Amino acid sequence: MAIVVSDASPIIALAQLKHLELLRDLFSEVLIPPAVEAELTQGQTGLPIIDVSQLPFVRIQAPQDQGRVGQLRMRLDPGESEALALALEVQADLVLIDEELGRTVAKELGLTPLGTLGMLVEAKRRGAIARITPLLDRLENELSFFMSREIRAEILRLASE
């Protein structure tokens, strides 16, 4: 079974799309650190609070190496820092993260990042969702989720849409 650690943004995006079950369908279990849980339960302006205790496929686990978390905090926010530190500790197969800087740092650390868009492509490949186009539209319109035209075209190509 793959070990997967998530930052807040992919969970927020999937919750907004009403597709949180994709985390369970794609990964069985997802680890999140306490800083990510805090981001989800405090909610952001205009977004619903996500109670991860109601998601049996999400497990909260704190990273042990607070020195590494502190080093990562020099470049990243608390959730991203804890998620990447935890991913290193548990030797995660994937780290779910959308922000460009977070993805860059993950790669620098030898981790494999996967974002919301990549999860949607994989979900379509597995038959868990029928179409990606309306979901991309909702991400852009409801969450102001940025994707360039080139990225959008590539995602649609990968999804055969």
Side-chain angles (χ1 to χ4, degrees), residues 15 24 37 42 44 82 87 99 116 136 139 147 150 161:
R24 178 199 63 227
E37 178 193 25
Q42 292 170 2
Q44 297 176 9
E82 284 192 7
E99 293 78 6
T116 300
L136 297 183
L139 284 173
M147 67 187 94
E150 295 80 15
E161 288 186 29

Side-chain angles (χ1 to χ4, degrees), residues 124 127-132 161:
K124 175 146 187 227
I129 55 176
R131 294 193 60 235
I132 288 181
E161 288 186 29

Side-chain angles (χ1 to χ4, degrees), residues 8-17 20 39-40 44 47 50 143:
S9 59
I11 296 173
I12 291 167
L14 291 177
Q16 185 71 18
L17 295 173
L20 273 173
E39 286 181 48
L40 298 171
Q44 297 176 9
L47 297 176
I50 301 167
L143 282 177

Side-chain angles (χ1 to χ4, degrees), residues 14-139:
L14 291 177
Q16 185 71 18
L17 295 173
K18 307 223 181 314
H19 278 297
L20 273 173
E21 78 285 351
L22 292 178
L23 291 172
R24 178 199 63 227
D25 296 346
L26 295 174
F27 310 115
S28 301
E29 181 180 66
V30 176
L31 302 176
I32 63 167
V36 169
E37 178 193 25
E39 286 181 48
L40 298 171
T41 57
Q42 292 170 2
Q44 297 176 9
T45 305
L47 297 176
I49 290 172
I50 301 167
D51 182 1
V52 292
S53 70
Q54 301 301 309
L55 304 172
F57 47 88
V58 173
R59 183 165 51 98
I60 300 161
Q61 183 172 328
Q64 299 301 305
D65 188 346
Q66 290 303 307
R68 177 168 279 159
V69 172
Q71 288 174 337
L72 291 167
R73 284 279 295 126
M74 292 180 195
R75 296 176 69 188
L76 304 171
D77 73 28
E80 292 166 337
S81 299
E82 284 192 7
L84 294 184
L86 179 60
L88 287 169
E89 289 176 17
V90 299
Q91 299 177 347
D93 297 286
L94 293 170
V95 60
L96 306 179
I97 190 164
D98 284 321
E99 293 78 6
E100 186 175 355
L101 179 57
R103 293 170 66 87
T104 299
V105 173
K107 289 176 190 173
E108 289 171 2
L109 295 170
L111 297 167
T112 303
L114 180 69
T116 300
L117 302 178
M119 282 191 291
L120 293 175
V121 169
E122 185 60 26
K124 175 146 187 227
R125 284 184 181 153
R126 293 188 191 189
I129 55 176
R131 294 193 60 235
I132 288 181
T133 302
L135 300 176
L136 297 183
D137 293 343
R138 289 186 56 212
L139 284 173

